[in-house]
């Protein structure tokens, strides 16, 4: 069964050798590993993952960069672990990480936006942030939103059934568990631990992070299986999307056969070259 991990700054506390050993053990136990990482190429967590992958020379480790807040990324990992128990292969599941990210609505209730750089912050909001007692409602995904936490002003939410996960400390979550949950028609409120990267991501330690997500594994499976699948021309995995996230091969014209497919006229065909990762992604 495929293993899915959500990598955080806590993993950087591990010595590199121990991190390599743990990932190697996961590969031995599960065959393939999908690692969800921050989107920024220079993020230390993502760079550590590429170092581990390079050390292991592991094509069975897919690093999926995602521009999601920490709680949303953790919940996406949970969804993929649920789907790993179905008949979906590793290539499809790695591609499903990007697909399912579009169905997450994630934000936070913040006491200050002075250090927030994930969504546009106007001068007026910066000034209001200096006034004690102000609470700001921020939506980072799928569309940015910033406003004061007003029961009469709720950002647009999902148009399908979701559950609402809430995690945080230092602020009253009433705006989230009350007006927001009601407006988004959340089926269930779930309290979860605050991810270790949340304070750094949102620019403040006083926050309550929230994410609306699809909890029904049957609905998740239906979403993934409704997408066209192709076979990677290099490693042979079944994939969705325009690239195999394990070997980095891009799917070109889907109407043409793979380069290494047998030539029906018996002519020699070009041997496919193994895709090379950029140096910072090794």
């Amino acid at each position: 069964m495929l293993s899915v991990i959500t990598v955080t700054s806590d993993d950087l506390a591990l010595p590199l050798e121990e991190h390599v050993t743990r990932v190697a053990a996961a590969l031995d136990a599960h065959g393939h590993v999908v690692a969800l990482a921050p989107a920024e190429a220079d993020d230390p967590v993502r760079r550590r993952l590429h170092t581990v992958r390079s050390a292991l020379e592991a094509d069975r480790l897919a690093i999926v960069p995602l521009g999601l807040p920490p709680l949303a990324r953790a919940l996406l990992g949970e969804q993929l672990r649920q789907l790993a128990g179905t008949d979906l292969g590793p290539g499809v599941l790695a591609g499903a990480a990007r697909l399912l990210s579009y169905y997450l609505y994630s934000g936070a209730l913040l006491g200050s936006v002075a250090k927030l750089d994930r969504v546009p912050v106007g001068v007026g909001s910066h000034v209001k942030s200096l006034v004690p007692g102000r609470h700001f409602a921020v939506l980072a995904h799928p569309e940015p939103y910033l406003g004061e936490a007003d029961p009469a002003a709720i950002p647009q939410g999902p148009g399908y059934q979701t559950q609402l996960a809430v995690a945080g400390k230092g602020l009253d979550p009433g705006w989230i568990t009350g007006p927001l949950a009601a407006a988004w028609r959340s089926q269930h409120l779930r309290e979860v631990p605050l991810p270790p990267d949340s304070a750094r991501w949102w620019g403040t330690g006083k926050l309550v992070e929230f994410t609306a997500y699809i909890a029904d594994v049957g609905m998740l499976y239906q979403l993934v299986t409704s997408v066209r699948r192709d076979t990677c021309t290099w490693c042979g995995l079944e994939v969705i999307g325009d690239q195999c996230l394990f070997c980095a091969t891009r799917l070109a014209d889907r109407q043409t056969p793979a380069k290494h497919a047998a030539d029906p006229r018996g002519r020699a065909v070009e041997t496919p070259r193994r895709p090379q990762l950029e140096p910072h992604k090794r």
Side-chain angles (χ1 to χ4, degrees):
M1 181 185 294
L2 175 77
S3 177
V4 181
I5 57 176
T6 305
V7 187
T8 70
S9 57
D10 283 354
D11 294 277
L12 294 178
L14 297 174
L16 178 58
E17 290 185 1
E18 183 177 348
H19 203 172
V20 170
T21 300
R22 289 191 177 189
V23 174
L27 288 169
D28 289 341
H30 303 284
H32 291 80
V33 173
V34 174
L36 306 183
E40 297 77 13
D42 61 347
D43 187 279
V45 172
R46 183 174 169 185
R47 291 179 67 87
R48 166 62 74 87
L49 267 177
H50 284 293
T51 301
V52 171
R53 189 180 193 273
S54 179
L56 292 172
E57 298 182 349
D59 284 351
R60 293 177 294 132
L61 169 61
I63 302 172
V64 185
L66 298 164
L68 294 172
L71 179 57
R73 190 156 20 105
L75 290 168
L76 178 59
E78 182 179 278
Q79 290 175 327
L80 294 177
R81 282 188 286 272
Q82 288 180 294
L83 289 171
T86 67
D87 59 354
L88 299 178
V92 173
L93 284 169
R98 291 177 173 174
L99 171 66
L100 296 180
S101 69
Y102 291 103
Y103 296 91
L104 296 168
Y105 279 69
S106 188
L109 183 67
L110 307 178
S112 171
V113 294
K115 296 182 179 180
L116 178 65
D117 58 4
R118 303 291 180 169
V119 301
V121 180
V123 176
S125 296
H126 270 296
V127 173
K128 291 178 181 179
S129 186
L130 301 176
V131 180
R134 295 277 190 175
H135 290 175
F136 297 88
V138 183
L139 195 66
H141 187 83
E143 296 291 338
Y145 170 91
L146 172 62
E148 291 194 60
D150 185 343
I154 304 295
Q156 184 175 357
Y160 42 86
Q161 293 183 342
T162 61
Q163 293 190 12
L164 188 64
V166 182
K169 58 184 179 181
L171 293 178
D172 181 1
W175 180 84
I176 300 172
T177 58
L180 181 75
W184 286 10
R185 298 180 181 178
S186 301
Q187 293 179 297
H188 176 71
L189 285 174
R190 175 188 173 193
E191 293 186 10
V192 296
L194 187 69
D197 290 339
S198 291
R200 180 172 64 91
W201 205 94
W202 292 103
T204 177
K206 291 186 176 181
L207 76 155
V208 181
E209 195 170 356
F210 59 88
T211 298
Y213 68 103
I214 298 173
D216 183 353
V217 67
M219 185 179 296
L220 295 172
Y221 182 85
Q222 185 176 2
L223 286 171
V224 176
T225 54
S226 66
V227 177
R228 172 176 173 164
R229 305 188 203 185
D230 292 283
T231 300
C232 175
T233 56
W234 176 259
C235 67
L237 286 177
E238 191 176 42
V239 300
I240 60 175
D242 61 356
Q243 182 181 26
C244 175
L245 297 175
F246 282 96
C247 71
T249 298
R250 288 196 173 277
L251 279 65
D253 185 353
R254 296 184 175 187
Q255 302 302 318
T256 60
K259 286 186 177 181
H260 58 284
D263 189 325
R265 292 169 291 183
R267 294 186 303 179
V269 294
E270 178 187 355
T271 301
R273 296 183 63 187
R274 179 185 179 82
Q276 297 296 313
L277 295 176
E278 298 174 28
H280 73 281
K281 294 183 179 180
R282 291 183 186 275

